[in-house]
Amino acid sequence: MSYSSGRILLNSQREGQISRFRTWVLFAVPLASILFQVYVPLFFHWLAFIEMPLLVVVYFALMRRSPISGLVVGAVVGLAQDSLSKNPLGMFGIVNTLVGYFAASVGLRIDVDHTFIRLLLTFFFYVFHEVFYWVLARSLLGQHFALELQRIFVLGLLNAVIGISLFHFLDRLRETS
Amino acid sequence: MESFLNRYRNITVLLLVIFAQLVLLAAQVKNDQDVRVIRVWAVTTVTPVARVAEFFRGGGAGFFKRYILLHDASEENRKLREEVGRLRLDNTFLRNEISTADRAKALQVFQQHTQSKMIAANVIMTGVGANANTVYVNRGSSDGIMRGMGVITPDGIVGKIVAVYPSASQVMLISDPDFAAGVISQKSQAHGILRGQGNDPLCKVDYVRFEDKVEAGEVFYTSGDDRIFPRGFAVGVVKSAKDGTPFKEVLVEPTGIQHGVEDVLIIMESIHQAIPELPPANQPMYISPAPPAATTPEGQATTATGDATTISSGTEADKLRSIYKSAGEAQNHVFGTGLPGSKPPDFKNLPTTPGGPPTKSAAPMKPPATGAPAPAAGADNPGTRLQRQAQVPTPETPAKSAPSNAITDPSKAAPKSAPPKQIVDPSKAPAKTPAAPPKGPGGQPLE
């Protein structure tokens, strides 16, 4: 069954296909993404720009098409990121929760199997992730680091491109119905 | 209700998850005052409610007391209590100064002394929990309160600020086990660290050396070593002091929180003051000044500090000085008043005794054998005049050469206000400026 179609907007939520994944995929993929983020840059520092956990959250939220499921995935992955960072617990958690919720809400109305849509959404959620994290760090932690929008846009584009490849790979792990 | 929850289920779950993570975040993050954000939020949320509750409770109670029970008596009582507290602070300060110095000095020091800058505060609520040894006061960072400031009452120290919020501050009482303040005993000046004991109303003083003598009833004061409380504020009275190794076991009953804590003072700027001293065993005695010389009969010995003209005994220099002085007085000359170049008294015919008739060729004393030729009789020269002026003290010299008995000599207390007549009296400075006959350049006495 092909999930891609010529239309972008869905006429109703029923047209959207809810993807199902095996249980081990729901645990292994986020875990692997976090391991990738903390381990791979040790050897390939230039890969540190890849926000693999964010891409995984966006993917699962889009494909599950359930806001609650999306925010739970985002919260769990974000808290796991927080626990491995020097920041207080909750910073990545809050941001990824919102990303998961909004991605799932968008996935209800847009055909998320479309490649361009995936590219656009991944770029948008990367920028949202970075900007909202900057706002939280500034307001709650009192950290005043610069907001480099140009750098964020470039890295967002790169992450979106990588996300397209990742999403194609993850599409093979979902159960067809 | 069920349909409402079903309809807004997603957004509700989102808000709950976000809220939970915000709480989790606030529980870890500290603000610039080193207070966790969740505590700031909690206190900021609870404090206005407590203030409003206190406002209505105080307003209702105040209305009942002021207008129903006693009209204006409550307000007057409040003002009087504030004044009594302020006067007790002043009284403590004055007693400290008066016990350590004479009154004039104490007043002078008091005028120059600037007391610690304080701000009044009211206790609006206590800490949560049965063992809470903290209170909240209605002064916060908006009033300039900072963490670590000391809190006192006129009776003694109360605690210190441990957390500052915009509209309130948390005070750790001295009964808290985590509290510590440097203290010093009044009698033996034994240093120690005051610590609270939780529910025990008595506090203990740690690190008092076993060789230090601390007795029950002795008062401990702040030492100022902790950089929280300025030196000299009352802490408590020793209830028991047991010998121990290597430190004594001293228990102190705090005086600041003995009768509850309602109105307190927060020390904004600390200024140390002296520890009040106990009365010494041998106090200095006051000796009144000598009676005026004019009232004594001529030639009769009176007191040791009497006028030199009435002294029948003394050194040869004293006698010679008296002779020259009487000769000057016989010619209506006042020593020390002549301008440079004015005519000096005629010392050609000196009397043999003070006040006696002048003799033509009197030789009051043999000059020391120096071998130098004596100048001609009646010869005067600039060196003679200089020596003569040096003998007669100027108004400034007596103060500098006055006896060093600062406590018993009343003239020391106010040397600048002493009359010039007392100052130029040569009998006041016999030791530092011994009288000597005027001599010529070769050491010969002038005639």
Side-chain angles (χ1 to χ4, degrees):
Chain A
M1 180 178 177
S2 174
Y3 288 92
S4 299
S5 64
R7 291 186 302 166
I8 292 177
L9 293 177
L10 302 176
N11 290 329
S12 67
Q13 293 185 8
R14 291 178 183 173
E15 290 185 23
Q17 183 68 41
I18 297 176
S19 301
R20 299 185 184 279
F21 297 89
R22 293 184 181 90
T23 308
W24 67 270
V25 173
L26 293 176
F27 285 96
V29 172
L31 182 63
S33 69
I34 292 171
L35 285 174
F36 178 90
Q37 193 183 34
V38 299
Y39 192 68
V40 171
L42 282 178
F43 307 100
F44 307 100
H45 186 69
W46 53 276
L47 290 177
F49 73 92
I50 301 177
E51 275 287 342
M52 195 63 79
L54 174 70
L55 299 178
V56 170
V57 168
V58 170
Y59 176 77
F60 280 120
L62 288 174
M63 304 311 292
R64 296 278 294 177
R65 290 189 171 91
S66 167
I68 292 179
S69 175
L71 70 91
V72 168
V73 171
V76 171
V77 172
L79 288 174
Q81 277 185 283
D82 283 324
S83 61
L84 297 174
S85 71
K86 63 181 175 58
N87 288 326
L89 294 177
M91 292 292 290
F92 282 112
I94 293 174
V95 176
N96 283 351
T97 300
L98 290 173
V99 167
Y101 179 82
F102 292 138
S105 300
V106 170
L108 288 172
R109 294 170 175 81
I110 296 178
D111 180 13
V112 292
D113 290 327
H114 201 285
T115 304
F116 180 72
I117 295 299
R118 287 182 170 183
L119 183 76
L120 201 62
L121 288 178
T122 308
F123 173 78
F124 170 77
F125 283 120
Y126 180 86
V127 174
F128 174 81
H129 173 274
E130 293 294 315
V131 172
F132 198 76
Y133 184 88
W134 178 82
V135 171
L136 277 184
R138 188 178 179 88
S139 60
L140 290 180
L141 303 185
Q143 297 176 352
H144 298 279
F145 52 85
L147 180 65
E148 303 173 5
L149 283 176
Q150 288 183 347
R151 179 176 172 274
I152 290 174
F153 289 147
V154 172
L155 293 182
L157 194 60
L158 291 175
N159 275 275
V161 172
I162 294 171
I164 296 300
S165 306
L166 177 69
F167 292 172
H168 279 294
F169 170 73
L170 293 178
D171 282 340
R172 299 179 182 176
L173 298 178
R174 65 183 176 183
E175 295 177 341
T176 57
S177 59
Chain B
M1 184 69 184
E2 189 176 352
S3 61
F4 179 83
L5 288 178
N6 287 333
R7 185 176 181 185
Y8 297 104
R9 185 183 59 181
N10 294 339
I11 191 70
T12 305
V13 174
L14 173 68
L15 291 178
L16 285 176
V17 173
I18 293 293
F19 179 75
Q21 292 183 84
L22 274 176
V23 171
L24 178 67
L25 192 61
Q28 309 162 70
V29 180
K30 294 182 177 179
N31 66 357
D32 52 354
Q33 295 284 346
D34 201 24
V35 181
R36 297 191 186 281
V37 174
I38 192 170
R39 295 173 65 88
V40 175
W41 291 352
V43 172
T44 308
T45 306
V46 172
T47 303
V49 179
R51 289 168 72 98
V52 170
E54 174 64 19
F55 173 77
F56 283 110
R57 190 204 64 80
F63 178 80
F64 188 74
K65 288 178 181 176
R66 290 171 191 169
Y67 298 102
I68 297 179
L69 291 181
L70 295 170
H71 183 67
D72 288 341
S74 178
E75 180 67 17
E76 186 179 358
N77 188 27
R78 187 185 64 81
K79 288 181 179 176
L80 287 175
R81 275 193 294 181
E82 289 178 358
E83 187 174 357
V84 166
R86 191 165 57 247
L87 289 175
R88 287 175 73 177
L89 271 179
D90 293 343
N91 192 24
T92 303
F93 172 75
L94 286 174
R95 278 191 298 176
N96 297 345
E97 294 300 326
I98 290 172
S99 63
T100 54
D102 57 358
R103 187 176 183 83
K105 184 178 179 183
L107 289 176
Q108 186 180 5
V109 172
F110 176 71
Q111 288 174 353
Q112 296 173 353
H113 186 84
T114 305
Q115 296 189 10
S116 299
K117 183 182 176 185
M118 302 175 188
I119 183 170
N122 294 325
V123 175
I124 56 174
M125 59 184 187
T126 61
V128 178
N131 298 326
N133 289 291
T134 58
V135 294
Y136 286 86
V137 295
N138 64 341
R139 298 286 188 181
S141 57
S142 58
D143 300 304
I145 305 299
M146 295 177 68
R147 187 165 167 260
M149 287 180 171
V151 181
I152 65 167
T153 65
D155 295 325
I157 64 172
V158 171
K160 64 179 179 181
I161 304 289
V162 292
V164 180
Y165 309 105
S167 58
S169 298
Q170 189 181 21
V171 180
M172 177 193 289
L173 299 178
I174 60 174
S175 55
D176 193 287
D178 292 333
F179 181 87
V183 295
I184 185 172
S185 66
Q186 186 182 28
K187 282 184 185 176
S188 58
Q189 306 284 304
H191 283 263
I193 295 178
L194 182 82
R195 288 187 183 281
Q197 299 194 107
N199 291 327
D200 194 339
L202 298 181
C203 297
K204 61 180 179 180
V205 180
D206 288 339
Y207 307 116
V208 176
R209 295 178 302 180
F210 72 92
E211 61 264 27
D212 288 337
K213 190 177 181 182
V214 178
E215 300 171 346
E218 191 171 354
V219 180
F220 267 92
Y221 287 83
T222 52
S223 65
D225 300 332
D226 48 32
R227 312 293 291 272
I228 299 172
F229 298 98
R231 184 184 179 88
F233 281 102
V235 172
V237 181
V238 175
K239 281 297 176 184
S240 68
K242 298 177 183 176
D243 291 334
T245 306
F247 302 110
K248 283 180 175 293
E249 297 175 3
V250 181
L251 292 178
V252 170
E253 183 178 21
T255 55
I257 59 174
Q258 197 173 8
H259 306 294
V261 181
E262 290 182 357
D263 302 322
V264 296
L265 296 169
I266 302 172
I267 303 172
M268 307 282 285
E269 292 177 7
S270 299
I271 295 175
H272 296 288
Q273 58 189 44
I275 303 291
E277 293 179 358
L278 292 173
N282 47 355
Q283 298 185 19
M285 293 179 63
Y286 174 75
I287 300 175
S288 61
T295 58
T296 57
E298 189 179 61
Q300 181 181 351
T302 55
T303 63
T305 58
D307 196 324
T309 57
T310 61
I311 297 175
S312 59
S313 61
T315 63
E316 290 298 322
D318 293 335
K319 294 176 182 176
L320 200 56
R321 182 184 181 86
S322 300
I323 290 172
Y324 276 90
K325 186 177 181 183
S326 60
E329 289 175 347
Q331 299 174 36
N332 295 326
H333 179 79
V334 179
F335 290 101
T337 58
L339 297 172
S342 61
K343 184 180 180 182
D346 186 9
F347 292 130
K348 290 179 180 177
N349 300 320
L350 290 173
T352 54
T353 59
T359 55
K360 273 291 181 183
S361 58
M365 88 179 273
K366 286 286 184 185
T370 58
D380 200 352
N381 52 50
T384 307
R385 191 176 298 127
L386 285 175
Q387 288 189 8
R388 203 176 294 152
Q389 289 174 355
Q391 287 176 9
V392 180
T394 59
E396 286 78 15
T397 51
K400 293 177 182 176
S401 60
S404 60
N405 190 359
I407 296 177
T408 57
D409 190 357
S411 64
K412 182 72 182 295
K416 292 182 179 178
S417 62
K421 186 175 181 181
Q422 289 183 352
I423 292 174
V424 298
D425 189 354
S427 65
K428 292 288 183 182
K432 297 286 180 70
T433 57
K439 293 180 181 179
Q444 300 293 335
L446 296 174
E447 294 184 354

